[in-house]
Amino acid sequence: NAGVTQTPKFQVLKTGQSMTLQCAQDMNHEYMSWYRQDPGMGLRLIHYSVGAGITDQGEVPNGYNVSRSTTEDFPLRLLSAAPSQTSVYFCASRSSGSTDTQYFGPGTRLTVL
Amino acid sequence: AQSVTQLGSHVSVSEGALVLLRCNYSSSVPPYLFWYVQYPNQGLQLLLKYTSAATLVKGINGFEAEFKKSETSFHLTKPSAHMSDAAEYFCAVSVPRDMRFGAGTRLTVKP
């Protein structure tokens, strides 16, 4: 199993550009999430999905879109990048139970100039 | 709402010394609690989790944590620090459909 994979690992954007961060998991997990990590703030939830076709907003959803057309894939779209979106982005997945472990991808380091 | 608070953003210990990383939770229902570790430039890995089966939970790499309901705490300990333990540690609580993370504690291990 590859677990949770993310691409790209690094990305530099100019303000106003759009892009998609890719995330895939091969564990047949129902739940998938996107977090951003900023110094001193831990991980904050952007969007999450509880199954194909079902998504919802987290704590900091503004400026991001998601969709979930398959169980495996959960891309995150930045519509018009802003410097405030400079961060490290992590995708995660887990089975549906509250006691289940959440597995994380290696992260994407995004810089918006 | 369920949440966790990590006390101390930075902890420094000498190699061989006790490691104690503090986490307090807030929850109106019995919580499910987790500790994750993040090594530089990597994602988060599970160290251990509390799911109400036992109050003392043993994890990987010699870490353990004790759930104390009376203190609403879930502190992470390791009897003897190793240089390889230097990392950032996150406490988290499982909430419906998601998890909530603390701000993290960076552990430095001095030779």
Side-chain angles (χ1 to χ4, degrees), chain A residues 97-109:
Chain A
S98 296
T99 62
D100 291 329
T101 300
Q102 186 149 235
Y103 294 89
F104 286 83
T108 295
R109 186 173 295 274

Side-chain angles (χ1 to χ4, degrees), chain A:
Chain A
N1 284 352
V4 181
T5 58
Q6 291 183 237
T7 56
K9 288 190 175 182
F10 301 94
Q11 184 70 49
V12 179
L13 293 178
K14 295 181 179 178
T15 297
Q17 287 184 316
S18 63
M19 77 159 296
T20 299
L21 307 185
Q22 301 292 344
C23 174
Q25 53 93 8
D26 61 0
M27 297 173 282
N28 202 32
H29 285 165
E30 292 184 39
Y31 287 17
M32 295 186 75
S33 304
W34 276 103
Y35 295 89
R36 59 178 289 172
Q37 183 180 25
D38 302 290
M41 302 188 75
L43 279 76
R44 292 182 292 167
L45 181 67
I46 303 171
H47 286 284
Y48 66 96
S49 169
V50 299
I54 307 170
T55 64
D56 206 346
Q57 296 181 350
E59 301 173 72
V60 289
N62 292 340
Y64 307 95
N65 272 359
V66 293
S67 60
R68 183 112 177 258
S69 56
T70 67
T71 299
E72 294 78 19
D73 300 300
F74 190 43
L76 177 72
R77 298 181 188 83
L78 280 70
L79 308 174
S80 177
S84 61
Q85 294 179 304
T86 294
S87 187
V88 182
Y89 292 84
F90 289 99
C91 180
S93 75
R94 68 171 177 173
S95 295
S96 57
S98 296
T99 62
D100 291 329
T101 300
Q102 186 149 235
Y103 294 89
F104 286 83
T108 295
R109 186 173 295 274
L110 176 68
T111 301
V112 183
L113 303 175

Side-chain angles (χ1 to χ4, degrees), chain B:
Chain B
Q2 294 174 304
S3 64
V4 290
T5 302
Q6 291 183 242
L7 304 177
S9 58
H10 290 89
V11 170
S12 181
V13 301
S14 298
E15 192 172 19
L18 171 72
V19 175
L20 172 60
L21 305 182
R22 300 177 188 273
C23 174
N24 287 91
Y25 69 89
S26 172
S27 177
S28 58
V29 298
Y32 300 126
L33 297 163
F34 301 74
W35 275 101
Y36 282 84
V37 60
Q38 184 182 31
Y39 298 104
N41 300 314
Q42 295 187 25
L44 279 70
Q45 304 172 33
L46 180 71
L47 273 177
L48 50 81
K49 62 182 178 181
Y50 168 74
T51 59
S52 76
T55 56
L56 182 62
V57 183
K58 295 187 183 298
I60 62 172
N61 301 339
F63 284 93
E64 63 182 36
E66 186 171 8
F67 175 76
K68 292 187 176 180
K69 184 177 179 180
S70 60
E71 299 177 7
T72 62
S73 69
F74 190 57
H75 301 332
L76 182 71
T77 61
K78 182 174 180 178
S80 177
H82 191 272
M83 296 297 291
S84 61
D85 295 327
E88 189 151 19
Y89 293 79
F90 293 92
C91 182
V93 60
S94 181
V95 299
R97 302 185 171 189
D98 186 46
M99 302 181 90
R100 291 286 184 265
F101 289 85
T105 297
R106 183 168 299 279
L107 176 66
T108 301
V109 182
K110 298 175 292 186

